[in-house]
Amino acid sequence: MGQNGRESKFFSLRTSGDDNLSRTAAKTPILLGTGNPAKTDSLQRLLEGLPVDPVTPRGLGLAVEPEETGDTHLAIAAVKARDWSRAGLMLAVASDGGLRIPALGPGWDSRYTHRFAGPDADDAQRQHRLLQLMRPFRGEDRRASWVEALAVADRGRLLAAWEVQGATGLISDSASALPRSLGFWAFSVWRFPAYDKTYDQLSPQELEDLNDHWARLRRLVQSFLHLYRAHAQ
């Protein structure tokens, strides 16, 4: 679907009257299921404007390391959300995503975007390794898109999950600097020629114009939580 990516997938929706979101007197706590500061910021922005109170694992003293062994980002996000919600005994939201690069074929798996250069690699080493892999490719063969899955769970029970593929850009020929948001290293080598910017340089309006994966997920999760809250009352 070009820059707009593919349609999102709705996974499941189950509600009951005693769920956490039925408490309307105060904001409902919801756990941001990640230990990554950049991901924490992204998840928090998804929930802006909702009657929820985002809390972090660190704030609750939780130390959870969900297994990331699913066959898809959707499956991995669901496991993360279940595990975090079970540990926190509350609603939790979690995500999993990665960069899709068609030219690299089976030699590249988006699920391992963060770990493909080795478990001890830092962001600069990941960038360097990806640029090495892309050296044989030119022009449109350097196309790449980001896929992100998001899941919501309550005390171990999966409520809903989606997966979206966002805009398509090109892998840069070089990396000029580390990403501004450490933990999303790929965003500073993923370029959008129409704006002459890498992903991490795009403004909020430009991201919206691109139908960015986070913008799409924000609409989905906000719509779901409003519906879920209404149903739970």
Side-chain angles (χ1 to χ4, degrees), residues 31 62 64 79-92 153-157:
L31 179 60
L62 298 177
V64 177
V79 169
K80 289 180 179 180
R82 285 193 189 102
D83 286 356
W84 283 112
S85 69
R86 190 180 294 114
L89 295 175
M90 65 174 65
L91 279 169
D154 186 9
R155 291 162 288 180
R157 181 165 66 91

Side-chain angles (χ1 to χ4, degrees), residues 60-81:
L60 296 179
L62 298 177
V64 177
E65 294 186 10
E67 293 289 333
E68 298 188 21
T69 55
D71 293 335
T72 65
H73 292 291
L74 193 68
I76 295 171
V79 169
K80 289 180 179 180

Side-chain angles (χ1 to χ4, degrees), residues 84-162:
W84 283 112
S85 69
R86 190 180 294 114
L89 295 175
M90 65 174 65
L91 279 169
V93 59
S95 74
D96 189 77
L99 201 60
R100 284 186 172 162
I101 308 175
L104 294 178
W108 178 269
D109 189 327
S110 62
R111 292 175 301 160
Y112 307 124
T113 299
H114 190 70
R115 303 187 297 277
F116 83 101
D120 299 321
D122 61 21
D123 285 347
Q125 290 169 325
R126 295 182 185 105
Q127 291 174 340
H128 179 71
R129 178 57 182 150
L130 177 57
L131 295 179
Q132 282 184 321
L133 293 174
M134 294 302 293
R135 279 177 183 168
F137 305 103
R138 297 288 182 271
E140 288 297 304
D141 287 340
R142 299 180 73 87
R143 286 180 295 111
S145 58
W146 191 271
V147 60
E148 190 79 23
L150 184 78
V152 181
D154 186 9
R155 291 162 288 180
R157 181 165 66 91
L158 183 65
L159 301 178
W162 309 267

Side-chain angles (χ1 to χ4, degrees), residues 36-37 43 79 97 186 192 209 213:
N36 181 318
L43 293 177
V79 169
F192 291 82
D209 292 344
H213 53 280

Side-chain angles (χ1 to χ4, degrees), residues 188-199:
S188 62
V189 293
W190 185 29
R191 178 166 290 278
F192 291 82
Y195 297 97
D196 193 26
K197 294 179 180 180
T198 54
Y199 181 86

Side-chain angles (χ1 to χ4, degrees), residues 39 44 52-53 58 80 107 120 167 170 177 189 205 213 216:
K39 181 68 72 69
Q44 191 153 3
V52 296
D53 180 19
R58 183 175 181 179
K80 289 180 179 180
D120 299 321
L170 302 176
V189 293
Q205 184 57 55
H213 53 280
R216 297 176 68 192

